[in-house]
Amino acid sequence: MNARLTSRWILTALMASLTPVATTLAQAEKLSVERMFAAPDLSGATLRSPQISPDGRLVAYLRGAERSKDRLDLWAYDISKRQHRLLVEAARLAPEEKAPSAEEEQRRERQRTSSLSGIVEYQFSPDSHYLLVPLAGDLYVYDLRAKPEKAVHRLTHTASYETDAKFSPLGHYVSFIRDENLVVYDLTTGKEQAITHGGGGVVSFGTAEFIAQEEMARTTGYWWAPNEKRIAFTRVDESPVPEVERFEIYADRTQVIKQRYPAAGSANAIVQLFVAEVASATSVPSGTSASAAAPVQVDLGSNADFYLARVNWFPDGSAIAVQRETRDQKSLTLLRADPTSGSTSELLSEQSAHWVELNDNLTFLGRSRQFIWASNRSGFQHLYLYDWTGKLIRPLTRGEWQVTGDNDTHGMRGVDEDRGLVYFIANAESPLERHLYSVSLADESVPMQRITTDSGWHAVAMSGDARTFLDTFSTPDQPPSLTLRSATGEALADLVPNKITRDHPYAPYLSDHLQTEFGTLAAKDGQTLHYQIIKPRNLEPGHRYPVVVDVYGGPGSQRVRKAWAGYPRGNEGFFREYLAQNGYVVFTLDNRGSGSRGVRFETALFHHLGSVEVEDQVTGVSFLRTLPYVDPARIGVFGWSYGGYMALMCMMQAPDVFAAGVSGAPVTDWKLYDTHYTERFMGTPQSNAEGYARSSVMDHAEDLKGPLLIMHGMADDNVLFMHSTALFKKLQDLNTPFEIMTYPGSKHGLLRHAQTGPHAYMTVKRFFDRTIGDRTIGDRTVVDRPAPASPQSAGTEGR
């Protein structure tokens, strides 16, 4: 019996054992799209953004309100008392939460938290005495030592929106951005210091520009020195960026928005880095301004066309570590900057024939005067140990696997210098799993140790001293549990066991829960492709079922994983389950170009997006056609964002393979998308004109045959609505029929919002019901749709 059949047998046995239990746990109900968005959360008491306090006494977290799962309150778990308690209820503190400012709205959209309200972020003070809580545009501090009724202190009460708030490293200040300027609040005196002046319009201070937030995972534009004497900050000038006019169409009005949008091949914002002495700013009463000594500009080189990727301080505050990326993204340089003069010197440089991946793995070691750096130079992302002069000491990890978190995020989790150990997340066991590992800093002969043991997906947040960690663990059949563990993996406290007992929100739906099967296929170049498949229960002998290929397929992303359906991306997993429960086979495949698989796999799409990705999805369909329960004539494809682009390219490049498609918020012409993302994979339109033409949906539109539904938010500021309107015009000119569903006032993440998500998902379902779904006449299932021709390429079967 091979491994794949063995795993299927085990999963089948497991589900068989669960099903009768479910009927005794709760009254069985049918999963619905409406229930996916309702409270309480189907995944159970999942805790958002858990953090261990610096003193190790508390675990703070955000949790949805009982009657509004997307309105978050602040809670804490006392480790010694083993008690949960509500700290700040958002609805009580701000009963009428005002709409976020334009800057904050854009920041949340970039961070994919725009569907949430209440308290969406918080921070412990370094001494663990306080929590900083931004809410409804103002800032509050919660005193963990005070009685609950006297614990909340309001710092700001202004008409402006304070964003990106932080405690300073020693806890004496709170810093934030107001009206595009950097401000520091002295917690001792209650006075403010204006670090910058003149922000507004095309110039901003201390903020991350659009490209940094959307594509570079840099969400801030200022950084405190460890001793609080200085603060580094950006000055962003967007005047070179082309200004586009776009229409945000709402139900009752239309707004003309002038947006500085850096499309591929056009100019980026000018980003400069400065350092100011905090002590030189004159303390003044809240609400007034101050003049400060002239800041020092950091020398980032004579070529202004670069990206400011990352900024960190050396632990002793003697220097700043600046990561500077070239415009073509083939070179990343780590600079050491003198904060007193602004002069810089090179510590190291990474080069690539394709692109250099950005990450947040840079970690400084104060005692040994070393730092840890991550690189893909071996073909896989691994950790390397350097001294502070930039001299390589040795690789810390190696192998044909990646140090990686969730979807190519950083894998570093902590360093214990006393014990000489580095902790990190990796996929060494399987690309479909994540585990916590440790490796020795000093002794190369000591083998790497795996700390988490249960097979599945582990997300880890470690304490500052790397002695304990929070382990969020899930599998396709077990919703996320949260356990506090020692650094050796020993369970110290079960914060959220999250077993599906009678009172669990998912209990009524457990009897219909369908197993997820996993397998592999071979791409044309021999690389391994991972897939997952969910089938309807009790397949009828001789009946062939329609298929929905759920696709993303874009760089840096991973959809096939041994994790719970609702974690970490919410309802998209539940929607796959819902489709399968309603008679569809649901298939997901991570094509070449997807994330966390190494350089060769991820760069296969370089300079020709929409090529190998479609080829691999067709390989997946060729495998599906070999299955006796699949109807080869009724295979549809659905995706959003890059997945929307993929759905279009599949429908147009393989019209005889895919019978129907739904494309949400698609990029249709890469010349219209932003610089950093597009040029990383495609170069510029000027240098790769042929590649841009081949990768454009417009170049393939005349080959569309099957039914197509295009969906888009009419206020999308990421993939602009003009991508879809351009395609509308192209298809109309070709006299090609298609369907549209547009959402007034909605942005790119409309599937996550309770106001639009249910309608959008049901629109997808109804479209597939009409185009490829079974028809029921009386008690008979009728299939009367013509079969498309066989694909040109048979692909490869699963193994």
Side-chain angles (χ1 to χ4, degrees):
M1 183 180 289
N2 64 34
R4 187 159 67 103
L5 290 176
T6 302
S7 62
R8 286 185 179 180
W9 181 89
I10 292 171
L11 283 170
T12 301
L14 173 64
M15 294 308 299
S17 67
L18 286 174
T19 300
V21 175
T23 60
T24 65
L25 291 178
Q27 184 66 38
E29 297 179 22
K30 291 292 184 183
L31 182 64
S32 68
V33 169
E34 290 76 12
R35 179 62 188 88
M36 286 161 41
F37 287 85
D41 195 313
L42 283 172
S43 295
T46 305
L47 310 185
R48 293 179 180 267
S49 306
Q51 296 180 28
I52 301 173
S53 61
D55 63 8
R57 292 177 52 253
L58 297 176
V59 175
Y61 57 90
L62 301 176
R63 182 172 177 176
E66 185 175 348
R67 296 187 178 182
S68 179
K69 70 182 182 68
D70 292 332
R71 186 181 179 93
L72 305 182
D73 300 322
L74 179 61
W75 290 68
Y77 176 82
D78 189 307
I79 295 173
S80 62
K81 296 179 180 179
R82 297 181 177 270
Q83 291 179 348
H84 295 268
R85 62 187 173 109
L86 174 64
L87 299 180
V88 182
E89 185 178 0
R92 286 182 178 270
L93 200 57
E96 297 182 5
E97 186 173 347
K98 64 184 179 182
S101 65
E103 292 79 11
E104 177 65 11
E105 183 180 26
Q106 292 168 9
R107 186 168 173 261
R108 293 189 186 187
E109 187 72 21
R110 306 286 84 80
Q111 294 178 347
R112 309 302 189 253
T113 59
S114 61
S115 62
L116 304 175
S117 61
I119 301 169
V120 297
E121 57 186 329
Y122 68 94
Q123 184 189 16
F124 275 106
S125 63
D127 60 8
S128 301
H129 292 166
Y130 304 96
L131 285 163
L132 177 61
V133 183
L135 179 62
D138 285 307
L139 303 178
Y140 301 82
V141 167
Y142 187 94
D143 188 344
L144 290 162
R145 302 166 300 173
K147 293 181 179 180
E149 63 271 17
K150 297 182 178 180
V152 178
H153 173 61
R154 188 170 188 164
L155 297 186
T156 64
H157 195 170
T158 65
S160 298
Y161 216 97
E162 284 84 27
T163 65
D164 195 14
K166 307 172 190 175
F167 277 116
S168 59
L170 301 179
H172 296 127
Y173 304 96
V174 167
S175 51
F176 53 87
I177 304 299
R178 178 195 292 146
D179 297 329
E180 300 184 86
N181 282 296
L182 176 58
V183 181
V184 168
Y185 180 98
D186 190 318
L187 289 168
T188 302
T189 65
K191 296 180 179 180
E192 291 185 359
Q193 304 175 20
I195 302 298
T196 68
H197 305 272
V202 296
V203 175
S204 62
F205 292 95
T207 61
E209 72 277 17
F210 170 85
I211 284 295
Q213 292 188 48
E214 180 62 35
E215 308 299 358
M216 298 166 60
R218 177 168 66 77
T219 59
T220 189
Y222 71 93
W223 303 267
W224 279 97
N227 58 14
E228 298 183 347
K229 292 182 179 180
R230 296 184 175 92
I231 190 166
F233 62 90
T234 59
R235 180 186 186 273
V236 177
D237 181 359
E238 292 189 300
S239 58
V241 180
E243 187 175 66
V244 298
E245 285 190 350
R246 60 180 178 84
F247 296 90
E248 290 197 353
I249 303 174
Y250 295 80
D252 57 351
R253 69 190 191 281
T254 299
Q255 287 183 240
V256 180
I257 304 295
K258 292 184 177 181
Q259 179 179 353
R260 299 279 177 171
Y261 190 90
S266 66
N268 281 314
I270 298 172
V271 181
Q272 298 168 305
L273 184 64
F274 292 85
V275 183
E277 294 186 7
V278 175
S280 68
T282 305
S283 297
V284 295
S286 177
T288 64
S289 61
S291 59
V296 174
Q297 183 174 356
V298 176
D299 180 9
L300 298 177
S302 57
N303 183 0
D305 202 7
F306 64 87
Y307 294 105
L308 180 64
R310 300 288 186 271
V311 177
N312 303 82
W313 282 85
F314 279 69
D316 62 359
S318 64
I320 306 170
V322 180
Q323 295 183 46
R324 181 189 64 198
E325 184 182 45
T326 55
R327 173 68 182 258
D328 65 7
Q329 301 179 58
K330 295 182 178 182
S331 178
L332 178 67
T333 302
L334 179 62
L335 299 172
R336 179 189 178 101
D338 184 331
T340 60
S341 67
S343 62
T344 56
S345 58
E346 181 178 317
L347 290 175
L348 64 88
S349 182
E350 293 284 342
Q351 310 292 329
S352 171
H354 303 99
W355 67 83
V356 177
E357 288 283 0
L358 300 179
N359 61 72
D360 291 297
N361 290 307
L362 176 60
T363 304
F364 282 96
L365 312 180
R367 186 181 308 168
S368 61
R369 299 181 69 83
Q370 297 170 335
F371 65 85
I372 297 168
W373 176 258
S375 170
N376 288 55
R377 66 187 65 160
S378 70
F380 297 88
Q381 182 163 280
H382 283 292
L383 303 178
Y384 297 82
L385 186 64
Y386 283 82
D387 69 19
W388 279 13
T389 68
K391 178 184 177 182
L392 175 64
I393 299 173
R394 67 180 179 89
L396 292 173
T397 62
R398 53 171 60 89
E400 294 189 359
W401 46 271
Q402 299 257 118
V403 174
T404 178
D406 180 25
N407 283 343
D408 273 351
T409 59
H410 67 287
M412 277 290 298
R413 286 298 179 269
V415 177
D416 186 339
E417 282 199 81
D418 290 337
R419 299 177 180 176
L421 293 174
V422 178
Y423 297 91
F424 57 94
I425 294 286
N427 60 5
E429 303 302 315
S430 163
L432 309 189
E433 299 186 12
R434 294 293 186 273
H435 288 279
L436 180 67
Y437 299 83
S438 68
V439 68
S440 174
L441 268 173
D443 191 345
E444 192 172 3
S445 65
V446 176
M448 180 178 78
Q449 298 293 320
R450 173 176 156 184
I451 296 170
T452 49
T453 57
D454 292 334
S455 177
W457 197 275
H458 296 264
V460 169
M462 210 150 199
S463 62
D465 61 5
R467 297 301 175 94
T468 58
F469 67 93
L470 293 167
D471 179 16
T472 302
F473 170 71
S474 76
T475 72
D477 300 311
Q478 167 61 45
S481 62
L482 182 63
T483 305
L484 178 68
R485 298 184 183 276
S486 71
T488 62
E490 177 189 359
L492 303 177
D494 291 326
L495 277 69
V496 183
N498 213 11
K499 299 297 183 183
I500 305 180
T501 55
R502 170 182 285 275
D503 58 351
H504 193 282
Y506 197 69
Y509 311 98
L510 185 59
S511 60
D512 284 336
H513 181 80
L514 300 170
Q515 72 178 75
T516 301
E517 298 176 5
F518 298 89
T520 60
L521 304 171
K524 285 189 174 180
D525 65 359
Q527 296 195 77
T528 300
L529 307 173
H530 289 269
Y531 71 81
Q532 65 185 36
I533 190 168
I534 309 176
K535 302 178 299 189
R537 189 182 301 281
N538 301 323
L539 297 176
E540 298 178 21
H543 182 67
R544 289 181 175 265
Y545 293 81
V547 177
V548 173
V549 175
D550 175 53
V551 66
Y552 183 79
S557 180
Q558 180 181 354
R559 299 292 287 274
V560 181
R561 52 176 67 194
K562 292 184 178 179
W564 178 248
Y567 180 82
R569 288 188 290 272
N571 287 320
E572 68 179 38
F574 286 127
F575 186 60
R576 289 194 290 267
E577 179 79 19
Y578 171 75
L579 287 174
Q581 291 182 15
N582 282 270
Y584 291 90
V585 175
V586 183
F587 181 79
T588 306
L589 178 143
D590 282 338
N591 49 249
R592 283 171 291 170
S594 301
S596 302
R597 293 289 306 280
V599 172
R600 183 184 173 214
F601 191 90
E602 295 175 36
T603 61
L605 46 60
F606 186 61
H607 275 193
H608 46 77
L609 296 178
S611 55
V612 297
E613 308 100 290
V614 175
E615 182 180 284
D616 290 349
Q617 295 298 329
V618 170
T619 294
V621 172
S622 297
F623 160 68
L624 289 171
R625 287 169 177 251
T626 68
L627 303 177
Y629 53 84
V630 165
D631 187 339
R634 295 188 294 154
I635 297 177
V637 59
F638 164 54
W640 201 270
S641 192
Y642 198 98
Y645 168 71
M646 280 291 295
L648 291 174
M649 293 297 261
C650 285
M651 289 291 293
M652 294 171 182
Q653 290 190 40
D656 296 325
V657 176
F658 296 94
V662 179
S663 170
V667 171
T668 60
D669 185 346
W670 288 105
K671 294 193 299 294
L672 302 177
Y673 200 56
D674 69 52
T675 51
H676 193 273
Y677 184 94
T678 309
E679 293 173 12
R680 185 188 324 159
F681 313 115
M682 292 290 293
T684 64
Q686 296 86 348
S687 64
N688 185 25
E690 183 180 351
Y692 272 81
R694 292 198 312 269
S695 297
S696 171
V697 169
M698 308 301 176
D699 200 51
H700 305 275
E702 63 183 3
D703 296 319
L704 177 66
K705 292 182 181 179
L708 173 65
L709 168 64
I710 304 170
M711 308 171 71
H712 214 130
M714 301 177 81
D716 194 330
D717 63 349
N718 179 5
V719 180
L720 305 183
F721 186 46
M722 71 174 66
H723 282 270
S724 282
T725 58
L727 180 58
F728 298 165
K729 182 64 167 65
K730 179 69 173 181
L731 293 175
Q732 289 163 355
D733 290 346
L734 292 168
N735 200 28
T736 301
F738 64 99
E739 301 177 32
I740 66 171
M741 177 59 69
T742 55
Y743 288 86
S746 290
K747 297 191 181 295
H748 197 62
L750 67 90
L751 287 180
R752 295 189 293 269
H753 289 256
Q755 295 81 8
T756 50
H759 184 275
Y761 277 124
M762 282 308 301
T763 298
V764 175
K765 166 69 162 48
R766 286 190 290 264
F767 175 81
F768 283 132
D769 286 347
R770 285 190 289 107
T771 56
I772 62 172
D774 290 338
R775 282 199 307 122
T776 302
I777 300 178
D779 60 354
R780 294 185 302 119
T781 299
V782 179
V783 179
D784 57 2
R785 297 173 182 84
S790 298
Q792 296 299 311
S793 173
T796 56
E797 294 186 5
R799 61 174 186 269

